[in-house]
């Protein structure tokens, strides 16, 4: 705790001392005035008179105390009494990319997938997240960030656009740059490249920065066209870069697409989940957050909290007491 304007109390105290000394000097030089009254002690000894004098004296003292308190509170409030604290931010070093298929066959499912993503969001704390949408080509909607308010806003905006009929304008720009549709392998490979050091153009070993890396892949696996990278190859690519892939299957029926998707994931280090099973959201979040990771400690930050409303309420209460006492004393 400290005073920002520390000199304010010093100035107020100096002025108060000057006023007291000035009043004392004025009283010393003033001659006594008044007219003596004979036998006034008969009046001053009456019980009612003594009671009235004691009451008036108490009210004067209460008014004086209230005035001093108001002056003190106003002085401290004006000097800005603030609370200081040193905070060291902590963040979990996990990176998560949300990888969403926005092909035509996913129109009826994408809003549900976004809802699943939104359900997962409260389970994370400090992780960085990114969103990539893809069809025949991929488009990053936002890069890895830990600004969850921004992440939530972007996800809700996309979901609302899908539900209101603005689907094509919102997600198809940039996702149809080559022939074909729902190219799962290419989409997953593009999501892998969102991580630092995962570019395929280098022959160097993947960067081991101690961060947990995860991709939540949502698709119905209905590939239409020739892929540059197959799904098993993309999964191996992710595995080579120490990235865990969690596959959400948007198929409502256990058909050949779902079976191929499940087998590809399980045979190449991924994990399969059915989108229709709502309980799997908690499972995915628990699985990601249970991975052993260390904390990233940021630079210490000094926080200053200014709470002037406390002093204003005290000043208001003291002023009310002072005015009440003055009014009752008829000063």
């Amino acid at each position: 705790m400290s005073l920002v304007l520390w000199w304010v109390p010093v100035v107020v105290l100096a002025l108060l001392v000057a006023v007291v000394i000035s009043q004392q000097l004025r009283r010393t030089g003033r001659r006594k005035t008044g007219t003596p009254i004979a036998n006034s002690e008969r009046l001053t000894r009456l019980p009612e008179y003594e009671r009235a004098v004691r009451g008036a004296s108490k009210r004067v003292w209460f008014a004086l105390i209230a005035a001093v308190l108001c002056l003190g509170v106003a002085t401290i409030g004006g000097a800005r009494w603030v609370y200081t604290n040193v905070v060291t931010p902590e963040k979990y070093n996990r990176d998560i990319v949300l990888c969403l298929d926005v092909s035509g066959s996913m129109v009826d499912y994408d809003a549900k997938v976004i809802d699943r993503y939104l359900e997962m969001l409260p389970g994370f704390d400090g992780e960085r997240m990114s969103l990539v949408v893809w069809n025949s080509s991929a488009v990053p909607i936002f890069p890895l960030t830990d600004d969850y308010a921004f992440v939530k806003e972007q996800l809700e905006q996309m979901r609302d656009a899908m539900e209101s009929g603005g689907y094509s304008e919102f997600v198809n720009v940039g996702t149809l740059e080559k022939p074909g549709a729902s190219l799962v392998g290419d989409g997953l490979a593009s999501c892998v490249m969102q991580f630092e050091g995962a570019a395929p153009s280098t022959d160097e070993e993947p960067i081991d920065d101690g961060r947990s890396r995860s991709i939540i892949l949502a698709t119905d696996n209905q590939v239409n066209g020739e892929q540059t990278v197959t799904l098993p190859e993309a999964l191996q690519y992710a595995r080579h870069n120490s990235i865990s892939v969690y596959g959400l299957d948007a198929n409502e029926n256990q058909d050949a697409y779902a079976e191929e998707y499940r087998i590809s994931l399980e045979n190449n280090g991924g994990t399969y989940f059915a989108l229709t099973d709502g309980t799997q959201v908690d499972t995915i979040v628990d699985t990601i957050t249970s991975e052993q990771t260390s904390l990233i400690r940021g630079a210490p930050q000094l926080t200053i909290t200014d709470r002037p409303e406390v002093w204003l309420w005290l000043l208001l209460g003291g002023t009310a007491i002072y005015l009440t006492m003055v009014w009752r004393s008829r000063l």
Side-chain angles (χ1 to χ4, degrees), residues 1-5 9 66 68-83 305-320:
M1 296 180 291
S2 60
L3 293 176
V4 177
L5 306 177
V68 172
L69 289 177
C70 287
L71 180 62
V73 169
T75 300
I76 298 299
R80 291 187 58 197
W81 183 287
V82 297
Y83 302 88
T305 305
D306 193 352
R307 301 294 299 273
E309 67 273 12
V310 176
W311 305 105
L312 292 176
W313 281 112
L314 290 175
L315 181 61
L316 180 62
T319 302

Side-chain angles (χ1 to χ4, degrees), residues 100-106 134-137 175-176 178-188 218-227 229 231 251 257:
L100 178 61
D101 180 358
V102 291
S103 60
S105 58
M106 288 287 291
W134 51 271
N135 190 356
S136 65
S137 55
T175 62
L176 294 170
K178 58 185 293 187
S182 193
L183 305 184
V184 181
D186 293 355
L188 176 57
T219 180
D220 57 5
N221 195 39
Q222 295 184 23
V223 179
N224 181 13
E226 184 177 352
Q227 304 181 93
V229 181
L231 178 56
N251 284 287
Y257 295 110

Side-chain angles (χ1 to χ4, degrees), residues 208-227:
D208 183 10
D209 55 4
R211 302 185 69 87
S212 167
R213 298 176 169 189
S214 303
I215 292 177
I216 302 176
L217 173 66
T219 180
D220 57 5
N221 195 39
Q222 295 184 23
V223 179
N224 181 13
E226 184 177 352
Q227 304 181 93

